[in-house]
Amino acid sequence: MIHTHFSRWLLSHYRALCFALSELTRAPFGNFITVCVIGIAIALPLGFFIVLKNLQTVDSSWNASAPSISLYLTPDATTSQVNTLLKTLRANNHIAEVTYVSPGQGLKTFEKNTPFNHIIKIFRRNPIPGVMTVLPILQDQNPTAIHALFLTLKQLPLVDTAQLDMNWVARLYDVIAIGKEITKALSLLFGFGVILIIGHTLRASLSSHINEIQVMRLVGATHHYIRRPLLYRGILYGLLGGLISWVLINIFLSVLQKPVSQLAQTYHAPFQLQTVSFALGFGVLFISMLAGLISAWLITTQFLNQPEQAD
Amino acid sequence: MIEFNAVAKEYQGHTALSNVAFSIQSGEMAFLTGHSGAGKSTVLKLAMCIESPTRGHIHINHHHLSQLSQRQIPQLRSRIGMIYQNPQLLHNQTVFDNVALPLLIHGYRYHEMKRRAQAALDKVGLLSKEKLFPSELSCGEQQRVGIARAVVNKPDILLADEPTGNLDPELSLEILRLFEAFHAVGVTVLIATHDLSMIAQMPYRMITLLNGRTK
């Protein structure tokens, strides 16, 4: 008995799925448009998310998000003076790290990295000053604290010029944070949109089958029976829409790859855009199918709760 | 068994039934008569749980209808075969698919479904037309498809609302003979009709509705 119940249940699900598929192929053009609209609606927040993810890799791979202070030392600073200063700075509990590039090292780097090394020969002595790069501790990496530290360091006798590097990556980080909020809002908005699109399509379909459904109810169809193919159809819309958004975003990224590579080249940093990973893709499919299911459930519930109209 | 007990039905101030009381035993065949608008269709709709009475009680097969939950209504309907004046066929499906619909809904496997649907079509004499669409059939044939669909699930009760309304006397008699055949194998049959001349010679009980009451 249990076996027959279970196999009947399976059979009814199989039939509902087949029916939903046949409904999709019955009006292929209309359904294709619906699925594309769903795909585009999902692609917008997904695209935003992927672009942000890529920007975050810029951030983490170049690991320069923390602001730093560069101290250019006076040219007449002696080695012992420099060492004393290094010790003092390293003892300062507002400072996490100090790196020192001596004039000699600076010159070597300059000679190595630029084609203008012959210019150096014009000068009688090494024109490059010693540079200390000061990285504040994590708690002090906010505009107020770092500015206070900057003002203190600027007063030091050995320091010729001090420069605060709130570098562009740090700014990018703020932009990403804003972008994340926008993505959240977009996802909610477009997720709701997807539910509405699927709901609207199913509703139109229900109204065109109103007689059929009435006859089914009169010969003893349960609410579950009437609802099932529509739930499957909602899920299928979600699945196909999700797949389209996945494809769209990957096309978009592959088009974007070339200009991004060119840009990255100017920074001497080869950069490969991240595409939609399988985990993310399947996550998107799951969510879009869930949206389809929810939508179909809401619409059929609303429909089935209306009073019946016989003949 | 069908039992109506002091049943009344009102629609927004308009009274369709004021006091209907009758009882039909299991296996009995009866006619429900009355002029157009006397409330015959309303009685059948109440019996099918399409609508609920304003007052009174209805029992079908010992089920108290007002106590049925939303989930139990399909169960009740699967035990009742309903036939309409307009046979309510699905015009985008073949005759076979129309008749097999109740079996499909109840999860029958294909070969069992085919066997039963063909048996029902055979009984109404339309087996040769199972692959046609309803629009390719005559009115009388469409009505017989409706009857095949009503009996395919072997219901205990057959309800018919003016089943001969659109048919000439000869075809009408043919349809009534079909109902008699189902009655002969123990099905409870209730037929609503205003065609008194046709049923006058038949040996079945008549329940007459007049001004929303049973006489």
Side-chain angles (χ1 to χ4, degrees):
Chain A
M1 194 59 198
I2 288 168
H3 173 74
T4 56
H5 257 282
F6 181 67
S7 60
R8 268 191 189 192
W9 180 83
L10 265 187
L11 184 66
S12 66
H13 273 268
Y14 169 73
R15 282 180 177 155
L17 181 60
C18 289
F19 183 71
L21 280 168
S22 74
E23 281 290 295
L24 285 190
T25 50
R26 220 165 56 105
F29 186 68
N31 282 318
F32 177 70
I33 289 179
T34 305
V35 166
C36 282
V37 172
I38 298 164
I40 291 165
I42 301 170
L44 273 157
L46 178 63
F48 238 86
F49 181 79
I50 281 290
V51 166
L52 287 180
K53 230 177 148 213
N54 274 300
L55 287 176
Q56 264 175 307
T57 39
V58 170
D59 170 34
S60 58
S61 62
W62 293 353
N63 194 23
S65 62
S68 61
I69 300 167
S70 299
L71 305 175
Y72 299 92
L73 305 183
T74 50
D76 51 358
T78 64
T79 318
S80 60
Q81 279 175 319
V82 169
N83 285 339
T84 322
L85 180 60
L86 268 177
K87 257 183 216 155
T88 331
L89 289 181
R90 278 175 183 149
N92 187 326
N93 54 13
H94 290 288
I95 293 168
E97 202 186 318
V98 185
T99 47
Y100 175 61
V101 179
S102 69
Q105 285 166 316
L107 182 65
K108 268 184 203 149
T109 318
F110 184 80
E111 281 175 343
K112 207 166 90 185
N113 288 342
T114 67
F116 311 114
N117 47 19
H118 59 278
I119 293 173
I120 296 296
K121 295 192 178 95
I122 300 169
F123 298 94
R124 262 184 291 150
R125 47 181 282 202
N126 181 1
I128 295 172
V131 183
M132 285 184 186
T133 308
V134 177
L135 208 64
I137 57 165
L138 205 62
Q139 295 90 308
D140 282 358
Q141 288 181 7
N142 58 70
T144 339
I146 202 166
H147 200 72
L149 184 64
F150 167 71
L151 289 178
T152 324
L153 296 178
K154 204 180 167 184
Q155 306 299 319
L156 291 170
L158 272 185
V159 175
D160 189 12
T161 330
Q163 198 181 326
L164 184 56
D165 296 328
M166 287 290 278
N167 65 55
W168 65 273
V169 181
R171 279 185 207 122
L172 179 67
Y173 197 78
D174 292 336
V175 174
I176 290 173
I178 295 167
K180 274 184 183 163
E181 290 308 310
I182 294 176
T183 310
K184 271 186 215 160
L186 274 183
S187 305
L188 272 179
L189 208 62
F190 282 87
F192 190 58
V194 167
I195 289 180
L196 290 184
I197 296 160
I198 296 177
H200 178 76
T201 311
L202 293 178
R203 208 182 141 73
S205 175
L206 271 173
S207 337
S208 68
H209 288 102
I210 203 154
N211 288 331
E212 232 165 305
I213 291 165
Q214 187 51 44
V215 170
M216 286 184 188
R217 290 174 86 169
L218 289 177
V219 297
T222 57
H223 283 192
H224 290 301
Y225 182 85
I226 295 166
R227 180 176 268 156
R228 218 171 274 137
L230 285 146
L231 296 184
Y232 274 113
R233 214 161 120 199
I235 292 172
L236 283 172
Y237 278 139
L239 174 71
L240 294 174
L243 280 174
I244 284 194
S245 70
W246 192 345
V247 170
L248 279 179
I249 292 304
N250 277 349
I251 290 173
F252 163 70
L253 289 173
S254 65
V255 170
L256 205 62
Q257 179 63 56
K258 208 181 156 198
V260 165
S261 299
Q262 277 171 359
L263 180 69
Q265 209 67 58
T266 62
Y267 285 87
H268 300 282
F271 187 71
Q272 185 67 39
L273 277 176
Q274 274 188 34
T275 52
V276 179
S277 66
F278 274 95
L280 177 63
F282 283 115
V284 167
L285 290 186
F286 176 75
I287 289 170
S288 60
M289 282 158 82
L290 191 68
L293 179 70
I294 290 170
S295 177
W297 185 273
L298 291 176
I299 285 298
T300 49
T301 302
Q302 192 254 349
F303 183 85
L304 289 168
N305 283 340
Q306 289 170 355
E308 286 183 70
Q309 295 148 353
D311 55 64
Chain B
M1 189 211 69
I2 307 169
E3 196 179 292
F4 275 58
N5 238 327
V7 172
K9 175 70 183 173
E10 284 160 17
Y11 297 101
Q12 289 153 1
H14 151 75
T15 307
L17 303 176
S18 54
N19 187 0
V20 172
F22 64 86
S23 169
I24 297 170
Q25 298 309 309
S26 276
E28 193 184 345
M29 175 155 164
F31 289 103
L32 182 65
T33 63
H35 61 85
S36 303
K40 301 189 293 291
S41 297
T42 308
V43 167
L44 297 186
K45 279 182 193 168
L46 291 175
M48 283 287 277
C49 261
I50 296 167
E51 282 167 2
S52 47
T54 315
R55 285 185 299 278
H57 302 290
I58 304 168
H59 287 85
I60 304 275
N61 285 351
H62 305 289
H63 291 293
H64 194 316
L65 293 198
S66 59
Q67 286 168 2
L68 286 186
S69 69
Q70 193 66 44
R71 283 166 172 274
Q72 288 170 310
I73 291 174
Q75 269 175 6
L76 172 86
R77 288 183 184 170
S78 67
R79 301 312 316 143
I80 304 176
M82 178 88 180
I83 293 137
Y84 306 84
Q85 180 172 2
N86 157 18
Q88 306 253 13
L89 302 178
L90 304 178
H91 288 269
N92 55 354
Q93 293 185 13
T94 63
V95 166
F96 175 85
D97 289 341
N98 267 285
V99 173
L101 182 68
L103 303 176
L104 189 70
I105 286 169
H106 291 100
Y108 282 83
R109 290 178 182 284
Y110 183 72
H111 57 265
E112 177 70 5
M113 202 159 77
K114 189 174 172 185
R115 196 182 62 73
R116 284 209 191 193
Q118 286 182 338
L121 278 168
D122 193 32
K123 208 167 279 177
V124 299
L126 285 175
L127 187 53
S128 59
K129 302 201 169 177
E130 60 171 345
K131 291 195 172 69
L132 298 184
F133 285 88
S135 54
E136 299 172 86
L137 304 181
S138 70
C139 276
E141 286 172 329
Q142 289 190 17
Q143 192 57 273
R144 282 190 279 156
V145 174
I147 293 172
R149 185 182 65 195
V151 299
V152 75
N153 206 18
K154 298 191 174 145
D156 312 317
I157 298 174
L158 270 182
L159 299 177
D161 191 3
E162 302 279 2
T164 61
N166 292 333
L167 308 177
D168 59 45
E170 202 181 321
L171 279 174
S172 300
L173 201 63
E174 210 176 282
I175 298 287
L176 285 180
R177 293 280 171 248
L178 263 175
F179 284 118
E180 282 191 299
F182 293 117
H183 163 60
V185 295
V187 179
T188 311
V189 181
L190 178 63
I191 302 169
T193 179
H194 65 273
D195 192 353
L196 292 172
S197 60
M198 186 182 62
I199 60 174
Q201 309 93 334
M202 292 193 150
Y204 305 109
R205 186 152 66 101
M206 263 196 258
I207 298 158
T208 307
L209 283 178
L210 191 67
N211 299 328
R213 296 166 166 273
T214 38
K215 270 209 286 194

